[in-house]
PDB file of all heavy atoms in Angstrom:
ATOM      1  N   GLY A 255      15.639 -26.572 -64.920  1.00  0.00           N
ATOM      2  CA  GLY A 255      16.214 -27.509 -63.979  1.00  0.00           C
ATOM      3  C   GLY A 255      16.968 -26.834 -62.864  1.00  0.00           C
ATOM      4  O   GLY A 255      17.086 -25.605 -62.808  1.00  0.00           O
ATOM      5  N   TRP A 256      17.478 -27.672 -61.969  1.00  0.00           N
ATOM      6  CA  TRP A 256      18.265 -27.223 -60.837  1.00  0.00           C
ATOM      7  C   TRP A 256      19.580 -27.967 -60.788  1.00  0.00           C
ATOM      8  O   TRP A 256      19.627 -29.190 -60.942  1.00  0.00           O
ATOM      9  CB  TRP A 256      17.515 -27.455 -59.519  1.00  0.00           C
ATOM     10  CG  TRP A 256      16.311 -26.585 -59.350  1.00  0.00           C
ATOM     11  CD1 TRP A 256      15.032 -26.864 -59.710  1.00  0.00           C
ATOM     12  CD2 TRP A 256      16.287 -25.281 -58.761  1.00  0.00           C
ATOM     13  NE1 TRP A 256      14.204 -25.815 -59.387  1.00  0.00           N
ATOM     14  CE2 TRP A 256      14.948 -24.831 -58.807  1.00  0.00           C
ATOM     15  CE3 TRP A 256      17.267 -24.451 -58.207  1.00  0.00           C
ATOM     16  CZ2 TRP A 256      14.560 -23.582 -58.306  1.00  0.00           C
ATOM     17  CZ3 TRP A 256      16.887 -23.211 -57.719  1.00  0.00           C
ATOM     18  CH2 TRP A 256      15.554 -22.800 -57.772  1.00  0.00           C
ATOM     19  N   TYR A 257      20.651 -27.221 -60.592  1.00  0.00           N
ATOM     20  CA  TYR A 257      21.977 -27.757 -60.352  1.00  0.00           C
ATOM     21  C   TYR A 257      22.438 -27.268 -58.984  1.00  0.00           C
ATOM     22  O   TYR A 257      21.901 -26.293 -58.450  1.00  0.00           O
ATOM     23  CB  TYR A 257      22.971 -27.295 -61.419  1.00  0.00           C
ATOM     24  CG  TYR A 257      22.822 -27.985 -62.761  1.00  0.00           C
ATOM     25  CD1 TYR A 257      21.706 -27.777 -63.559  1.00  0.00           C
ATOM     26  CD2 TYR A 257      23.817 -28.841 -63.236  1.00  0.00           C
ATOM     27  CE1 TYR A 257      21.566 -28.406 -64.784  1.00  0.00           C
ATOM     28  CE2 TYR A 257      23.693 -29.465 -64.471  1.00  0.00           C
ATOM     29  CZ  TYR A 257      22.571 -29.242 -65.235  1.00  0.00           C
ATOM     30  OH  TYR A 257      22.448 -29.863 -66.459  1.00  0.00           O
ATOM     31  N   ARG A 258      23.424 -27.947 -58.424  1.00  0.00           N
ATOM     32  CA  ARG A 258      23.963 -27.497 -57.152  1.00  0.00           C
ATOM     33  C   ARG A 258      25.474 -27.654 -57.141  1.00  0.00           C
ATOM     34  O   ARG A 258      26.036 -28.497 -57.838  1.00  0.00           O
ATOM     35  CB  ARG A 258      23.342 -28.259 -55.977  1.00  0.00           C
ATOM     36  CG  ARG A 258      23.698 -29.738 -55.909  1.00  0.00           C
ATOM     37  CD  ARG A 258      22.894 -30.431 -54.820  1.00  0.00           C
ATOM     38  NE  ARG A 258      23.217 -31.848 -54.705  1.00  0.00           N
ATOM     39  CZ  ARG A 258      22.544 -32.712 -53.961  1.00  0.00           C
ATOM     40  NH1 ARG A 258      21.492 -32.299 -53.252  1.00  0.00           N
ATOM     41  NH2 ARG A 258      22.913 -33.986 -53.913  1.00  0.00           N
ATOM     42  N   GLN A 259      26.120 -26.823 -56.343  1.00  0.00           N
ATOM     43  CA  GLN A 259      27.562 -26.877 -56.207  1.00  0.00           C
ATOM     44  C   GLN A 259      27.937 -26.650 -54.752  1.00  0.00           C
ATOM     45  O   GLN A 259      27.650 -25.599 -54.182  1.00  0.00           O
ATOM     46  CB  GLN A 259      28.236 -25.836 -57.097  1.00  0.00           C
ATOM     47  CG  GLN A 259      29.747 -25.953 -57.128  1.00  0.00           C
ATOM     48  CD  GLN A 259      30.365 -25.143 -58.249  1.00  0.00           C
ATOM     49  OE1 GLN A 259      29.784 -24.159 -58.707  1.00  0.00           O
ATOM     50  NE2 GLN A 259      31.531 -25.559 -58.706  1.00  0.00           N
ATOM     51  N   ALA A 260      28.559 -27.652 -54.164  1.00  0.00           N
ATOM     52  CA  ALA A 260      29.050 -27.558 -52.805  1.00  0.00           C
ATOM     53  C   ALA A 260      30.482 -27.038 -52.829  1.00  0.00           C
ATOM     54  O   ALA A 260      31.183 -27.167 -53.836  1.00  0.00           O
ATOM     55  CB  ALA A 260      28.987 -28.922 -52.116  1.00  0.00           C
ATOM     56  N   PRO A 261      30.953 -26.452 -51.726  1.00  0.00           N
ATOM     57  CA  PRO A 261      32.325 -25.929 -51.687  1.00  0.00           C
ATOM     58  C   PRO A 261      33.356 -26.982 -52.065  1.00  0.00           C
ATOM     59  O   PRO A 261      33.344 -28.094 -51.535  1.00  0.00           O
ATOM     60  CB  PRO A 261      32.485 -25.493 -50.230  1.00  0.00           C
ATOM     61  CG  PRO A 261      31.100 -25.175 -49.783  1.00  0.00           C
ATOM     62  CD  PRO A 261      30.231 -26.192 -50.472  1.00  0.00           C
ATOM     63  N   GLY A 262      34.232 -26.641 -53.001  1.00  0.00           N
ATOM     64  CA  GLY A 262      35.286 -27.536 -53.421  1.00  0.00           C
ATOM     65  C   GLY A 262      34.858 -28.682 -54.312  1.00  0.00           C
ATOM     66  O   GLY A 262      35.674 -29.563 -54.607  1.00  0.00           O
ATOM     67  N   LYS A 263      33.611 -28.686 -54.744  1.00  0.00           N
ATOM     68  CA  LYS A 263      33.104 -29.765 -55.581  1.00  0.00           C
ATOM     69  C   LYS A 263      32.563 -29.223 -56.895  1.00  0.00           C
ATOM     70  O   LYS A 263      32.295 -28.032 -57.035  1.00  0.00           O
ATOM     71  CB  LYS A 263      32.015 -30.552 -54.846  1.00  0.00           C
ATOM     72  CG  LYS A 263      32.522 -31.309 -53.626  1.00  0.00           C
ATOM     73  CD  LYS A 263      31.417 -32.092 -52.968  1.00  0.00           C
ATOM     74  CE  LYS A 263      31.967 -33.005 -51.881  1.00  0.00           C
ATOM     75  NZ  LYS A 263      32.688 -32.251 -50.835  1.00  0.00           N
ATOM     76  N   GLN A 264      32.414 -30.119 -57.863  1.00  0.00           N
ATOM     77  CA  GLN A 264      31.880 -29.745 -59.163  1.00  0.00           C
ATOM     78  C   GLN A 264      30.379 -29.514 -59.089  1.00  0.00           C
ATOM     79  O   GLN A 264      29.684 -30.081 -58.244  1.00  0.00           O
ATOM     80  CB  GLN A 264      32.172 -30.832 -60.202  1.00  0.00           C
ATOM     81  CG  GLN A 264      33.608 -30.916 -60.665  1.00  0.00           C
ATOM     82  CD  GLN A 264      33.767 -31.883 -61.815  1.00  0.00           C
ATOM     83  OE1 GLN A 264      33.819 -33.092 -61.615  1.00  0.00           O
ATOM     84  NE2 GLN A 264      33.822 -31.360 -63.031  1.00  0.00           N
ATOM     85  N   ARG A 265      29.899 -28.689 -59.992  1.00  0.00           N
ATOM     86  CA  ARG A 265      28.466 -28.499 -60.116  1.00  0.00           C
ATOM     87  C   ARG A 265      27.829 -29.780 -60.641  1.00  0.00           C
ATOM     88  O   ARG A 265      28.357 -30.415 -61.560  1.00  0.00           O
ATOM     89  CB  ARG A 265      28.178 -27.334 -61.064  1.00  0.00           C
ATOM     90  CG  ARG A 265      26.707 -26.993 -61.213  1.00  0.00           C
ATOM     91  CD  ARG A 265      26.537 -25.778 -62.109  1.00  0.00           C
ATOM     92  NE  ARG A 265      27.067 -26.002 -63.444  1.00  0.00           N
ATOM     93  CZ  ARG A 265      27.155 -25.072 -64.383  1.00  0.00           C
ATOM     94  NH1 ARG A 265      26.745 -23.829 -64.134  1.00  0.00           N
ATOM     95  NH2 ARG A 265      27.656 -25.371 -65.574  1.00  0.00           N
ATOM     96  N   GLU A 266      26.703 -30.165 -60.080  1.00  0.00           N
ATOM     97  CA  GLU A 266      26.027 -31.377 -60.490  1.00  0.00           C
ATOM     98  C   GLU A 266      24.545 -31.122 -60.721  1.00  0.00           C
ATOM     99  O   GLU A 266      23.932 -30.269 -60.084  1.00  0.00           O
ATOM    100  CB  GLU A 266      26.202 -32.485 -59.445  1.00  0.00           C
ATOM    101  CG  GLU A 266      25.570 -32.173 -58.096  1.00  0.00           C
ATOM    102  CD  GLU A 266      25.691 -33.313 -57.108  1.00  0.00           C
ATOM    103  OE1 GLU A 266      26.114 -34.417 -57.498  1.00  0.00           O
ATOM    104  OE2 GLU A 266      25.359 -33.097 -55.919  1.00  0.00           O
ATOM    105  N   SER A 267      23.984 -31.891 -61.627  1.00  0.00           N
ATOM    106  CA  SER A 267      22.565 -31.803 -61.905  1.00  0.00           C
ATOM    107  C   SER A 267      21.774 -32.434 -60.769  1.00  0.00           C
ATOM    108  O   SER A 267      22.123 -33.507 -60.275  1.00  0.00           O
ATOM    109  CB  SER A 267      22.238 -32.505 -63.223  1.00  0.00           C
ATOM    110  OG  SER A 267      20.842 -32.503 -63.466  1.00  0.00           O
ATOM    111  N   VAL A 268      20.707 -31.769 -60.363  1.00  0.00           N
ATOM    112  CA  VAL A 268      19.827 -32.268 -59.314  1.00  0.00           C
ATOM    113  C   VAL A 268      18.531 -32.792 -59.909  1.00  0.00           C
ATOM    114  O   VAL A 268      18.125 -33.920 -59.660  1.00  0.00           O
ATOM    115  CB  VAL A 268      19.519 -31.182 -58.270  1.00  0.00           C
ATOM    116  CG1 VAL A 268      18.545 -31.706 -57.214  1.00  0.00           C
ATOM    117  CG2 VAL A 268      20.808 -30.695 -57.622  1.00  0.00           C
ATOM    118  N   ALA A 269      17.875 -31.960 -60.701  1.00  0.00           N
ATOM    119  CA  ALA A 269      16.608 -32.332 -61.309  1.00  0.00           C
ATOM    120  C   ALA A 269      16.339 -31.443 -62.502  1.00  0.00           C
ATOM    121  O   ALA A 269      16.691 -30.267 -62.497  1.00  0.00           O
ATOM    122  CB  ALA A 269      15.463 -32.226 -60.299  1.00  0.00           C
ATOM    123  N   THR A 270      15.716 -32.006 -63.521  1.00  0.00           N
ATOM    124  CA  THR A 270      15.319 -31.245 -64.695  1.00  0.00           C
ATOM    125  C   THR A 270      13.897 -31.621 -65.064  1.00  0.00           C
ATOM    126  O   THR A 270      13.406 -32.688 -64.686  1.00  0.00           O
ATOM    127  CB  THR A 270      16.242 -31.505 -65.902  1.00  0.00           C
ATOM    128  OG1 THR A 270      16.209 -32.897 -66.238  1.00  0.00           O
ATOM    129  CG2 THR A 270      17.669 -31.089 -65.596  1.00  0.00           C
ATOM    130  N   ILE A 271      13.258 -30.746 -65.816  1.00  0.00           N
ATOM    131  CA  ILE A 271      11.900 -31.008 -66.265  1.00  0.00           C
ATOM    132  C   ILE A 271      11.677 -30.320 -67.597  1.00  0.00           C
ATOM    133  O   ILE A 271      12.092 -29.179 -67.809  1.00  0.00           O
ATOM    134  CB  ILE A 271      10.863 -30.558 -65.206  1.00  0.00           C
ATOM    135  CG1 ILE A 271       9.457 -31.021 -65.592  1.00  0.00           C
ATOM    136  CG2 ILE A 271      10.918 -29.051 -64.993  1.00  0.00           C
ATOM    137  CD1 ILE A 271       8.452 -30.886 -64.457  1.00  0.00           C
ATOM    138  N   THR A 272      11.036 -31.020 -68.519  1.00  0.00           N
ATOM    139  CA  THR A 272      10.749 -30.457 -69.828  1.00  0.00           C
ATOM    140  C   THR A 272       9.497 -29.605 -69.761  1.00  0.00           C
ATOM    141  O   THR A 272       8.735 -29.649 -68.792  1.00  0.00           O
ATOM    142  CB  THR A 272      10.560 -31.555 -70.878  1.00  0.00           C
ATOM    143  OG1 THR A 272       9.369 -32.299 -70.581  1.00  0.00           O
ATOM    144  CG2 THR A 272      11.754 -32.497 -70.907  1.00  0.00           C
ATOM    145  N   SER A 273       9.280 -28.831 -70.814  1.00  0.00           N
ATOM    146  CA  SER A 273       8.078 -28.007 -70.871  1.00  0.00           C
ATOM    147  C   SER A 273       6.824 -28.858 -70.875  1.00  0.00           C
ATOM    148  O   SER A 273       5.748 -28.384 -70.498  1.00  0.00           O
ATOM    149  CB  SER A 273       8.108 -27.112 -72.118  1.00  0.00           C
ATOM    150  OG  SER A 273       8.180 -27.881 -73.305  1.00  0.00           O
ATOM    151  N   GLY A 274       6.951 -30.120 -71.288  1.00  0.00           N
ATOM    152  CA  GLY A 274       5.832 -31.045 -71.270  1.00  0.00           C
ATOM    153  C   GLY A 274       5.594 -31.699 -69.926  1.00  0.00           C
ATOM    154  O   GLY A 274       4.626 -32.452 -69.769  1.00  0.00           O
ATOM    155  N   GLY A 275       6.479 -31.445 -68.957  1.00  0.00           N
ATOM    156  CA  GLY A 275       6.285 -31.945 -67.611  1.00  0.00           C
ATOM    157  C   GLY A 275       6.980 -33.246 -67.275  1.00  0.00           C
ATOM    158  O   GLY A 275       6.680 -33.852 -66.243  1.00  0.00           O
ATOM    159  N   SER A 276       7.917 -33.694 -68.107  1.00  0.00           N
ATOM    160  CA  SER A 276       8.643 -34.936 -67.843  1.00  0.00           C
ATOM    161  C   SER A 276       9.869 -34.661 -66.976  1.00  0.00           C
ATOM    162  O   SER A 276      10.786 -33.973 -67.413  1.00  0.00           O
ATOM    163  CB  SER A 276       9.074 -35.599 -69.143  1.00  0.00           C
ATOM    164  OG  SER A 276       7.946 -35.941 -69.938  1.00  0.00           O
ATOM    165  N   PRO A 277       9.906 -35.212 -65.741  1.00  0.00           N
ATOM    166  CA  PRO A 277      11.023 -34.930 -64.836  1.00  0.00           C
ATOM    167  C   PRO A 277      12.126 -35.982 -64.877  1.00  0.00           C
ATOM    168  O   PRO A 277      11.887 -37.143 -65.217  1.00  0.00           O
ATOM    169  CB  PRO A 277      10.344 -34.930 -63.465  1.00  0.00           C
ATOM    170  CG  PRO A 277       9.286 -35.988 -63.607  1.00  0.00           C
ATOM    171  CD  PRO A 277       8.813 -35.914 -65.047  1.00  0.00           C
ATOM    172  N   ASN A 278      13.321 -35.556 -64.525  1.00  0.00           N
ATOM    173  CA  ASN A 278      14.450 -36.445 -64.321  1.00  0.00           C
ATOM    174  C   ASN A 278      15.172 -36.017 -63.059  1.00  0.00           C
ATOM    175  O   ASN A 278      15.314 -34.819 -62.795  1.00  0.00           O
ATOM    176  CB  ASN A 278      15.418 -36.410 -65.508  1.00  0.00           C
ATOM    177  CG  ASN A 278      14.909 -37.188 -66.700  1.00  0.00           C
ATOM    178  OD1 ASN A 278      14.899 -38.407 -66.692  1.00  0.00           O
ATOM    179  ND2 ASN A 278      14.475 -36.474 -67.736  1.00  0.00           N
ATOM    180  N   TYR A 279      15.653 -36.998 -62.274  1.00  0.00           N
ATOM    181  CA  TYR A 279      16.287 -36.713 -60.999  1.00  0.00           C
ATOM    182  C   TYR A 279      17.627 -37.407 -60.888  1.00  0.00           C
ATOM    183  O   TYR A 279      17.822 -38.505 -61.418  1.00  0.00           O
ATOM    184  CB  TYR A 279      15.414 -37.177 -59.836  1.00  0.00           C
ATOM    185  CG  TYR A 279      14.061 -36.517 -59.748  1.00  0.00           C
ATOM    186  CD1 TYR A 279      12.942 -37.111 -60.316  1.00  0.00           C
ATOM    187  CD2 TYR A 279      13.911 -35.307 -59.086  1.00  0.00           C
ATOM    188  CE1 TYR A 279      11.698 -36.504 -60.231  1.00  0.00           C
ATOM    189  CE2 TYR A 279      12.674 -34.692 -58.997  1.00  0.00           C
ATOM    190  CZ  TYR A 279      11.568 -35.297 -59.572  1.00  0.00           C
ATOM    191  OH  TYR A 279      10.334 -34.687 -59.483  1.00  0.00           O
TER     192      TYR A 279
END
Side-chain angles (χ1 to χ4, degrees):
W256 292 91
Y257 285 68
R258 67 187 181 189
Q259 187 166 25
K263 294 182 172 59
Q264 287 188 280
R265 183 177 60 186
E266 64 177 351
S267 176
V268 177
T270 60
I271 188 167
T272 67
S273 60
S276 299
N278 283 287
Y279 299 95

